[in-house]
């Protein structure tokens, strides 16, 4: 995006909301917000007071911390109503979790290099993986991240996954495109394995990645293969339901 069209104060306000949306930063003091984002104190104070006035940020007078405000609950509900595919994604995630017995999630691109969970269905097993909606993570990590990376053009991939860009990583992405799913073994969190498949929009871009997550001892290589078949079946159906289609891979696509 051309930076000449960016309004600095709006950009800074958005960064404050994004910071407070992250699990580890859900309650932050004024000083912590300034230091983390590098926003001048006078500017930050004005932004926080403006956001508070609109209910977008909540100030806890006892703890002297800021968190996301109640107005965002309404905005989130309205956004959810407008994004029809989210309900279809929830239904798909629930069906996959029921079939596999594993915690199942749908992840979407939040920013250029970040993903977030937008839907989840927890396993009912005694020991299982738990996640939080809105939790963010790098786009080049985990089975879900690799689903996005596999369908990027080479320039985008170099930009968002520079640390992993290598012949080995490109070969893995090419394999994901051939098979239609990605796997990860304790890449994102130690002791946790995952397998994921992409959902495409009408332009052939990856809209969502749906993943099954499990304890490494439980989600073995053999079971990952079984889960992959379930995921691919359901994500292909979801792609059709939202009017999407898998892309025709062109020369110059990541890993080609």
């Amino acid at each position: 995006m051309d930076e000449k069209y960016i309004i600095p104060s709006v950009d800074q306000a958005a960064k404050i909301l994004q910071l407070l949306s992250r699990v580890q930063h859900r309650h932050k003091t004024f000083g912590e917000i300034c230091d983390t984002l590098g926003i001048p104190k006078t500017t930050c104070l004005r932004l926080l007071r403006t956001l508070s006035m609109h209910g977008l940020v909540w100030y806890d007078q006892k703890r002297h911390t800021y968190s996301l405000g109640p107005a965002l609950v309404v905005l989130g509900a309205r956004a959810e109503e407008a994004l029809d595919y989210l309900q279809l994604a929830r239904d798909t995630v629930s069906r996959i979790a029921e079939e596999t017995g594993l915690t199942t999630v749908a992840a979407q691109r939040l920013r250029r290099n970040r993903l977030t969970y937008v839907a989840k269905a927890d396993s009912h097993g005694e020991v299982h993986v738990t996640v939080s909606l809105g939790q963010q993570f790098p786009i080049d990590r985990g089975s879900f991240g690799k689903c996005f990376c596999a369908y990027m053009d080479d320039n985008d991939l170099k930009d968002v996954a520079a640390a992993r860009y290598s012949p080995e990583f490109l070969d893995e992405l090419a394999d994901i495109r051939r098979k239609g799913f990605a796997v990860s073994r304790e890449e994102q969190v130690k002791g946790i394995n995952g397998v994921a498949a992409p959902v495409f929009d009408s332009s052939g871009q990856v809209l969502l990645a749906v993943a099954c997550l499990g304890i490494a001892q439980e989600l073995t290589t053999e079971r990952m293969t079984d889960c992959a078949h379930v995921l691919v079946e359901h994500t292909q159906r979801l792609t059709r339901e939202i009017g999407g289609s898998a892309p025709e891979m062109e020369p110059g696509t990541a890993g080609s």
Side-chain angles (χ1 to χ4, degrees):
M1 182 178 292
D2 195 331
E3 292 189 1
K4 70 181 180 181
Y5 295 110
I6 301 298
I7 300 174
S9 59
V10 177
D11 182 55
Q12 290 170 328
K15 287 178 178 177
I16 290 173
L17 295 177
Q18 289 167 353
L19 176 69
L20 297 177
S21 73
R22 299 172 67 177
V23 174
Q24 65 269 42
H25 298 297
R26 66 178 71 180
H27 302 291
K28 304 293 282 186
T29 65
F30 170 70
E32 288 171 338
I33 294 172
C34 294
D35 292 343
T36 302
L37 298 177
I39 301 175
K41 290 185 177 180
T42 300
T43 301
C44 191
L45 182 61
R46 289 174 177 169
L47 289 171
L48 286 169
R49 287 184 175 176
T50 302
L51 291 169
S52 297
M53 181 182 70
H54 290 284
L56 300 172
V57 162
W58 175 263
Y59 180 65
D60 187 324
Q61 296 187 11
K62 290 185 178 180
R63 295 197 291 178
H64 304 291
T65 58
Y66 291 89
S67 58
L68 295 180
L72 290 173
V73 176
V74 178
L75 291 177
R78 296 294 177 268
E80 196 172 303
E81 291 171 359
L83 299 173
D84 296 335
Y85 66 85
L86 278 182
Q87 185 55 56
L88 292 173
R90 280 199 203 89
D91 294 342
T92 297
V93 163
S94 295
R95 286 195 294 268
I96 294 172
E98 186 174 344
E99 287 186 36
T100 63
L102 294 167
T103 293
T104 305
V105 298
Q108 186 168 16
R109 200 168 184 173
L110 180 65
R111 298 199 299 278
R112 181 181 59 86
N113 62 347
R114 304 287 292 180
L115 300 178
T116 186
Y117 293 128
V118 295
K120 69 168 186 172
D122 290 330
S123 165
H124 296 300
E126 291 185 10
V127 179
H128 62 271
V129 179
T130 59
V131 301
S132 298
L133 291 180
Q135 183 178 340
Q136 299 179 31
F137 39 87
I139 198 169
D140 63 342
R141 292 292 184 270
S143 56
F144 27 67
K146 287 187 285 190
C147 282
F148 282 87
C149 289
Y151 295 89
M152 290 181 190
D153 66 45
D154 202 51
N155 289 331
D156 282 345
L157 185 63
K158 286 179 180 177
D159 187 32
V160 303
R164 299 198 69 184
Y165 194 89
S166 67
E168 293 76 19
F169 189 52
L170 295 180
D171 286 345
E172 183 178 8
L173 298 184
D175 194 47
I176 290 168
R177 292 194 297 276
R178 284 193 295 269
K179 293 180 177 178
F181 65 89
V183 300
S184 64
R185 295 177 176 83
E186 304 186 58
E187 291 180 19
Q188 184 74 5
V189 179
K190 186 174 177 58
I192 304 300
N193 288 349
V195 55
V199 175
F200 300 97
D201 62 19
S202 59
S203 64
Q205 298 293 312
V206 178
L207 175 65
L208 302 166
V210 181
C212 291
L213 307 175
I215 307 299
Q217 295 90 333
E218 176 187 35
L219 188 50
T220 60
T221 298
E222 182 179 358
R223 193 172 181 193
M224 289 169 85
T225 301
D226 293 338
C227 289
H229 295 315
V230 175
L231 281 164
V232 169
E233 178 185 351
H234 282 285
T235 53
Q236 288 180 347
R237 181 183 298 120
L238 179 56
T239 293
R240 293 192 297 271
E241 287 176 343
I242 65 175
S245 60
E248 294 289 336
M249 302 310 296
E250 299 285 345
T253 302
S256 61

